[in-house]
Amino acid sequence: MPKIIGLYPGSFDPFTNGHLDIAKRALKMCDHLYVAVVGNPNKNSTFTSEERVKLCESSTHGLGKKVRVVSFNGLLVDYAREIKANIIFRGLRAVADFEYEFQMALINRSLHKQIEICFLVPNEKFIFLSSSAVKEAAKLGGDIRGFVPPAVAKALRVRYAQSPNPSSR
Ligand code: ADP
């Protein structure tokens, strides 16, 4: 039986427990899962792509050897071809995600006819969780340990403790 290769792309700026929930679910549906950090997101990222990769690695370490964290630049479908991915996984939180994700899925599939795009729904406790909300809370000194893996909580603490003016980041 050919192996099913899954690709879970994102900015992961930083990786949250919502992302981890989706990665675990995706792993049930494939033999190998690439968690792929977008190297050049359109938005200004808080963490560099190297930092984001490291945080994804420590966050997914417990999922075993079937998960590999990579970083890529350029078109997602080109990267999917390069690693011979069969399925692209994306998470859907609320209706708000749907329109953008649906549009991207259709564009990606028209560029790569063999790829399947699979939307996964997280545990409801992560429905309202986003990297930006976690960063906002961390900036203001909130306890974000329930929202992100321990390595990410530590990195956020360090990042915002260093900021002379928390509102400037
Ligand atoms: P993007 O790739 O659009 O910059 P992210 O890196 O934040 O966004 O997220 C990557 C993927 O994970 C997207 O499909 C996003 O919808 C999904 N995702 C983000 N946060 C959650 C969450 N709390 N629960 C489920 N899926 C999520």
Side-chain angles (χ1 to χ4, degrees), residues 8-12 18-19 22 43 90-91 93 97 101 122 126 129:
Y8 179 32
S11 327
F12 304 121
H19 294 131
I22 296 295
K43 42 197 178 187
R90 294 286 288 174
R93 280 159 292 189
D97 280 342
E101 292 290 344
F126 302 126
L129 188 54

Side-chain angles (χ1 to χ4, degrees), residues 140-161:
L140 299 171
D143 183 355
I144 38 98
R145 282 175 300 177
F147 304 133
V148 291
V152 176
K154 189 173 169 202
L156 283 168
R157 260 198 318 272
V158 170
R159 175 60 48 106
Y160 292 120

